[in-house]
């Protein structure tokens, strides 16, 4: 979540890492050094246009500048990977057993999809 304090700290850290002074940033932004000082101190927050410009000048994303971590990419849990691996090794008869065990958790639409997959696998085996 965004906070003014985090933005101010990130801005200061990024300026330090790049060896850029507040005066240099203010010149690039065509604003006063006092304004940039207020951004760095957390006393003031720039508007979105200025924030985008600051991110471009510093060569970072907006998320990085304001200290927001992007959402982690959702990965299937390890147990899903194990199930998929085991399923791919199972015989057609064993696959039917697996699907019969999972049937109580499926929607009618999912059952139709699974039945068509099983029918295709049966036809391919013949």
């Amino acid at each position: 979540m965004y906070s003014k304090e985090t933005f101010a700290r990130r801005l200061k850290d990024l300026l330090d890492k790049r060896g850029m002074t507040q005066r240099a940033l203010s010149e690039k932004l065509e604003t006063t050094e006092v304004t940039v000082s207020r951004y760095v101190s957390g006393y003031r927050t720039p508007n979105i246009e200025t924030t985008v410009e600051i991110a471009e000048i510093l060569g970072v994303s907006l998320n990085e500048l304001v200290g927001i971590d992007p959402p982690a990419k959702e990965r299937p849990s390890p147990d899903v990977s194990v199930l998929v691996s085991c399923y791919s090794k199972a015989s057609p008869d064993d696959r039917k057993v697996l699907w019969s065990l999972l049937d109580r958790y499926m929607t009618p639409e999912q059952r139709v999809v699974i039945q068509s997959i099983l029918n295709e696998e049966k036809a391919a085996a013949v």
Side-chain angles (χ1 to χ4, degrees), residues 37-116:
S37 175
R38 288 179 179 162
Y39 297 159
V40 171
S41 69
Y43 182 72
R44 190 168 168 205
T45 305
N47 62 31
I48 188 66
E49 292 85 4
T50 304
T51 306
V52 169
E53 194 173 351
I54 292 170
E56 288 173 353
I57 291 167
L58 296 175
V60 296
S61 69
L62 282 174
N63 281 350
E64 187 175 351
L65 177 59
V66 300
I68 297 175
D69 294 327
K73 292 183 180 179
E74 192 172 314
R75 293 184 353 204
S77 60
D79 56 327
V80 172
S81 300
V82 171
L83 286 171
V84 170
S85 174
C86 292
Y87 179 83
S88 66
K89 297 173 191 170
S91 69
D93 288 337
D94 287 343
R95 289 180 181 189
K96 285 181 188 177
V97 171
L98 291 170
W99 288 122
S100 68
L101 292 171
L102 297 172
D103 185 71
R104 76 170 79 178
Y105 306 105
M106 286 189 254
T107 65
E109 294 81 13
Q110 290 170 326
R111 286 187 187 98
V112 170
V113 170
I114 297 308
Q115 190 57 50
S116 69

Side-chain angles (χ1 to χ4, degrees), residues 15-16 18-27 33 36:
L15 287 171
D16 290 345
R18 282 155 181 73
M20 183 181 281
T21 63
Q22 292 179 23
R23 171 176 275 159
L25 181 59
S26 68
E27 289 170 0
E33 193 174 344
V36 172

